Amino acid sequence: MRIIFVGQAPFGAETLEKLLDNQETVVGVITTPEQPNQRQPNPVRLCAEKHDLPLLQPKRLKSPEAVAWVKNLAPDLLVLAFVTSFVPGEMIKCARHGGINYHPSLLPKYRGGSAINWAVINGEEETGVSVHFIDEGVDTGPILLQEKVAIEPDDTVKSIYFGKLYPMGVRMMAEAVRLIR
């Protein structure tokens, strides 16, 4: 199955590494462009370069260049790990199975940004990870996998994300790809 990986940050890089460790066929990587004031190099870019994968760093996913690049690679699946911009419908249609996305909440609760923050602010006793198919809405596609974790009284947004949702998400994204394959 031909995968185009779209992601950023350490979570994106670790998810990409996990897919490669699982012998998935990643035919291209899209990540954010480097910023002039960026202190650390883009970890997804570094991972793609380390594995000699085709790489694109567009300013916007909906740019004609990005859509054409994806179309030319003829993917079966888009895999999104820490993506904060919308994927245009034209790009989603380029992939035979569409795309999947990691989201740090128990969808349909807390769609969009700051999902972990809102769970803590609202006194939720649990949260989790949802891996869902993408569509043109905000975290509205059908859910493929979902797992829950408890929010303990001493948890913070940081402890929930790094201690629970981040490692769970890397594992679940790889499992979702395996299930689709």
Side-chain angles (χ1 to χ4, degrees):
M1 186 168 65
R2 295 172 56 84
I3 294 169
I4 290 183
F5 182 85
V6 185
Q8 62 183 345
F11 178 80
E14 286 189 39
T15 303
L16 177 55
E17 281 287 355
K18 180 75 171 169
L19 294 176
L20 294 168
D21 288 348
N22 289 356
Q23 306 298 309
E24 299 294 351
T25 304
V26 178
V27 297
V29 174
I30 299 176
T31 191
T32 53
E34 306 293 329
Q35 300 300 317
N37 60 349
Q38 196 169 322
R39 293 182 184 178
Q40 301 291 326
N42 182 323
V44 172
R45 176 186 57 81
L46 293 177
C47 182
E49 290 173 350
K50 172 182 156 187
H51 294 282
D52 199 29
L53 297 170
L55 175 67
L56 184 68
Q57 292 181 272
K59 288 183 181 176
R60 296 171 49 178
L61 288 175
K62 65 180 179 179
S63 72
E65 172 197 20
V67 173
W69 192 82
V70 169
K71 186 175 185 175
N72 288 338
L73 287 173
D76 295 305
L77 183 68
L78 305 175
V79 175
L80 284 64
F82 201 111
V83 176
T84 55
S85 59
F86 290 100
V87 179
E90 187 180 357
M91 185 180 286
I92 297 168
K93 291 174 190 169
C94 292
R96 187 166 53 107
H97 297 298
I100 58 170
N101 180 55
Y102 158 88
H103 186 74
S105 80
L106 297 173
L107 291 173
K109 274 188 165 183
Y110 307 117
R111 290 183 169 119
S114 304
I116 305 166
N117 302 57
W118 284 113
V120 171
I121 289 166
N122 289 334
E124 300 286 353
E125 294 182 359
E126 65 183 11
T127 188
V129 168
S130 300
V131 177
H132 64 95
F133 286 97
I134 58 173
D135 58 21
E136 292 190 65
V138 179
D139 301 321
T140 55
I143 296 168
L144 177 61
L145 293 173
Q146 195 169 64
E147 288 187 26
K148 297 177 182 179
V149 295
I151 298 176
E152 304 298 335
D154 61 340
D155 267 330
T156 63
V157 169
K158 184 178 178 180
S159 70
I160 293 167
Y161 178 67
F162 288 106
K164 299 175 183 182
L165 303 183
Y166 183 120
M168 180 186 290
V170 171
R171 176 182 52 76
M172 288 175 66
M173 290 297 286
E175 175 65 9
V177 169
R178 186 192 68 76
L179 289 170
I180 292 168
R181 185 175 22 78

